[in-house]
Amino acid sequence: MDTKKPKNIDEYIGSFDNDVQEILEKVRDTIQKAAPEAKEKISYSMPAFEQNGIVVYFAAFKNHIGLYALPSGHEAFKEELSKYKTGKGSVQFPLDKPMPFDLITKIVKFRVKENREKPKKK
């Protein structure tokens, strides 16, 4: 990936090899379908979707796609995510395995609902 910060998700995705671009576009499409009202943005130099707060971030790395649904999104799907490498608020989907698009959809819908139900802070 280029060292300059991307201005938008198209620029971010375009900075990767074609095979990774294809996966990133499918992840993006999956998130858009699960959260059709969410707005795209770049945050922390990663693609993010925002609806009543951040829903998820995603990013490409050498050997995996990272999905960041904040701790709550990962806690709620702990069992389904157990076969992947995870951190407090992250999960790594290996590039050499099929992407779990159904699971990504479930996580995103959970996060949209969670954001909608949280008290308004502003």
Side-chain angles (χ1 to χ4, degrees):
M1 188 178 141
D2 296 337
T3 53
K4 69 178 188 140
K5 292 185 178 186
K7 293 181 186 72
N8 56 48
I9 294 180
D10 288 327
E11 198 173 281
Y12 178 88
I13 291 173
S15 70
F16 291 92
D17 292 338
N18 288 342
D19 55 336
V20 176
Q21 283 183 33
E22 193 174 309
I23 295 167
L24 288 170
E25 282 293 356
K26 288 179 182 174
V27 169
R28 178 190 201 180
D29 187 52
T30 299
I31 296 168
Q32 286 174 326
K33 286 178 178 163
E37 295 175 28
K39 303 287 184 242
E40 291 186 346
K41 67 187 275 184
I42 294 290
S43 182
Y44 299 106
S45 297
M46 293 185 291
F49 283 80
E50 187 173 42
Q51 184 176 338
N52 301 319
I54 294 294
V55 176
V56 291
Y57 301 90
F58 67 97
F61 297 91
K62 183 178 178 183
N63 297 311
H64 70 275
I65 300 293
L67 183 74
Y68 307 88
L70 311 174
S72 61
H74 295 284
E75 186 64 31
F77 295 92
K78 190 189 303 194
E79 192 172 312
E80 287 119 310
L81 293 171
S82 65
K83 61 183 168 186
Y84 302 102
K85 184 174 181 184
T86 59
K88 183 177 178 186
S90 65
V91 61
Q92 296 179 9
F93 299 125
L95 288 171
D96 62 351
K97 303 268 192 298
M99 279 293 128
F101 294 111
D102 290 346
L103 179 55
I104 293 170
T105 296
K106 286 196 266 184
I107 291 169
V108 170
K109 286 182 176 186
F110 171 85
R111 289 285 301 132
V112 167
K113 184 175 187 280
E114 184 177 57
N115 279 2
R116 190 178 297 131
E117 292 172 353
K118 73 180 177 186
K120 302 281 185 260
K121 291 185 178 178
K122 292 182 182 178

